[in-house]
Amino acid sequence: MTVTYELSHLRALEAEAVHVFREVAADFERPVLLFSGGKDSVVMLHLAAKAFWPAPLPFPVMHVDTGHNLPEVIDFRDRTVARLGVRLVVASVQDDIDAGRVVEDVGPHASRNRLQTVTLLRAIREGRYDSVFGGARRDEEKARAKERVFSFRDEFGQWDPKNQRPELWNLFNGKHRRREHIRVFPLSNWTELDIWQYVLEEQIELPSLYFAHRREVFERDGMLLAVSPFVTVLEGEEVFEATVRFRTIGDATCTGCVESVAGDAAAVVSEVAASRLTERGATRADDRISEAGMEDRKKEGYF
């Protein structure tokens, strides 16, 4: 008698991600996992820990730090890596500004978000990393929907969306030459709702910013931005207090929040299930530069 078992969709996604982590550990010499403290990178780190448990992670985690992070995120990052006992590599955008490798924008709408590309590529080169785990999902944005799970980057760290490798039957091609590397996206087939359902089911801790809290905000370009030392409130922009949460976390200068009363993961699941806007489309100013803004940055080497 043959007994078959059907995995729930979350367990199937989990199994796929665990397989990807183990493939990379077996095939590459120097992987690194990008960890921003955002929900996707937190879930990705949780899955990586599962993939190798009870052994420790066989690779470090890297945070590309713009210096414009909300303090709750940095605190969560430090507590998480300490709890898991993993090695943290911090690649600082400020170091590249100080060294003259990038020039910081000035003005009330300035952001360091685009400068991260130079810092990331420098850190990959200095660390001699041949594979880099990222938490991008295909449902986030149309440029990211073009990505493979194993995404080839040339010796300059650049991506060619028209020249990608087939991944039939989940067979991944990690072949590369010296100075080239592979970006690996274990969460490619996940959605925002999948992430939150998994967070709820696994009881994964996230930064408090993801849940409803009172905060001083102001409206700009149809988004609510949090008042912070990194944002200049312009004349005519009214500061007020509201109950909000963040759907995605990035620089304080370009990441908006939404009014919400969802104070726990179960409430967020219900809220996300009813939403018709992706989190980046609704709350990331850096994605509104142009129709092809994200794709242009990814071609240059962005996450």
Side-chain angles (χ1 to χ4, degrees), residues 209-270:
L209 295 172
Y210 279 112
F211 305 102
H213 58 286
R214 297 292 290 178
R215 193 178 206 97
E216 284 193 330
V217 297
F218 63 96
E219 185 173 345
R220 176 180 293 173
D221 298 329
M223 293 191 312
L224 294 180
L225 292 178
V227 174
S228 80
F230 311 117
V231 179
T232 301
V233 180
L234 303 177
E235 185 177 351
E237 293 178 333
E238 180 184 353
V239 174
F240 59 96
E241 193 173 272
T243 301
V244 299
R245 73 174 192 87
F246 288 79
R247 289 181 65 184
T248 182
I249 288 178
D251 268 14
T253 56
C254 61
T255 306
C257 48
V258 295
E259 292 192 79
S260 172
V261 294
D264 56 30
V268 174
V269 166
S270 298

Side-chain angles (χ1 to χ4, degrees), residues 7 13-14 19 73 75 88 100 103 151 183 185 199 249-250 296:
L7 294 175
L13 290 170
E14 178 188 71
H19 168 67
V73 178
D75 176 67
L88 173 66
V103 178
S151 184
R183 303 280 174 90
F185 301 107
V199 166
I249 288 178
D296 291 341

Side-chain angles (χ1 to χ4, degrees), residues 17-18 20-26 28-34 44-45 47-52 55-62 84-89 129-133 186:
V18 165
V20 169
F21 279 114
R22 291 173 178 168
E23 281 284 300
V24 170
F28 292 84
E29 293 182 1
R30 296 183 65 84
V32 67
L33 185 147
L34 296 178
M44 185 170 62
L45 183 57
L47 289 163
K50 273 197 166 189
F52 303 104
L57 282 187
F59 42 76
V61 300
M62 179 198 296
L84 295 176
V86 298
R87 181 166 69 90
L88 173 66
V89 177
Y129 300 118
D130 54 4
S131 58
V132 182
F133 292 106

Side-chain angles (χ1 to χ4, degrees), residues 23-281:
E23 281 284 300
V24 170
D27 294 343
F28 292 84
E29 293 182 1
R30 296 183 65 84
V32 67
L33 185 147
L34 296 178
F35 183 70
S36 65
K39 67 183 185 308
D40 298 320
S41 67
V42 172
V43 167
M44 185 170 62
L45 183 57
H46 179 86
L47 289 163
K50 273 197 166 189
F52 303 104
W53 187 89
L57 282 187
F59 42 76
V61 300
M62 179 198 296
H63 181 209
V64 179
D65 185 3
T66 64
H68 287 173
N69 300 280
L70 292 163
E72 295 95 330
V73 178
I74 299 300
D75 176 67
F76 178 84
R77 178 201 71 184
D78 293 342
R79 286 190 292 107
T80 300
V81 298
R83 174 174 56 84
L84 295 176
V86 298
R87 181 166 69 90
L88 173 66
V89 177
V90 178
S92 172
V93 171
Q94 186 64 54
D95 288 348
D96 289 302
I97 294 172
D98 295 342
R101 289 184 285 264
V102 294
V103 178
E104 185 172 14
D105 293 335
V106 295
H109 295 278
S111 171
R112 291 184 175 183
N113 196 59
R114 195 178 185 101
L115 306 184
Q116 294 178 86
T117 299
V118 170
T119 304
L120 172 63
L121 295 179
R122 172 180 60 80
I124 292 172
R125 184 173 61 253
E126 291 176 353
R128 295 182 290 113
Y129 300 118
D130 54 4
S131 58
V132 182
F133 292 106
R137 309 184 323 268
R138 290 182 180 135
D139 75 320
E140 287 182 79
E141 201 274 341
K142 58 187 178 183
R144 286 181 166 168
K146 298 179 181 181
E147 287 278 20
R148 299 288 192 260
V149 176
F150 276 36
S151 184
F152 173 78
R153 296 298 196 270
D154 66 18
E155 65 269 30
F156 304 107
Q158 296 178 332
W159 173 65
D160 182 358
K162 296 181 180 179
N163 184 25
Q164 297 207 65
R165 300 169 176 180
E167 293 180 341
L168 304 176
W169 306 291
N170 285 338
L171 296 176
F172 305 119
N173 183 356
K175 186 176 180 179
H176 64 285
R177 294 189 291 267
R178 187 170 177 267
R179 298 187 185 279
E180 299 171 342
H181 70 276
I182 303 294
R183 303 280 174 90
V184 183
F185 301 107
L187 305 181
S188 289
N189 294 324
W190 297 57
T191 66
E192 183 187 9
L193 182 57
D194 291 330
I195 292 291
W196 277 106
Q197 288 176 329
Y198 190 73
V199 166
L200 177 60
E201 187 169 305
E202 292 282 302
Q203 295 295 292
I204 299 172
E205 182 186 1
L206 293 178
S208 59
L209 295 172
Y210 279 112
F211 305 102
H213 58 286
R214 297 292 290 178
R215 193 178 206 97
E216 284 193 330
V217 297
F218 63 96
E219 185 173 345
R220 176 180 293 173
D221 298 329
M223 293 191 312
L224 294 180
L225 292 178
V227 174
S228 80
F230 311 117
V231 179
T232 301
V233 180
L234 303 177
E235 185 177 351
E237 293 178 333
E238 180 184 353
V239 174
F240 59 96
E241 193 173 272
T243 301
V244 299
R245 73 174 192 87
F246 288 79
R247 289 181 65 184
T248 182
I249 288 178
D251 268 14
T253 56
C254 61
T255 306
C257 48
V258 295
E259 292 192 79
S260 172
V261 294
D264 56 30
V268 174
V269 166
S270 298
E271 186 175 272
V272 171
S275 176
R276 292 296 175 264
L277 286 175
T278 68
E279 70 267 41
R280 292 193 69 92

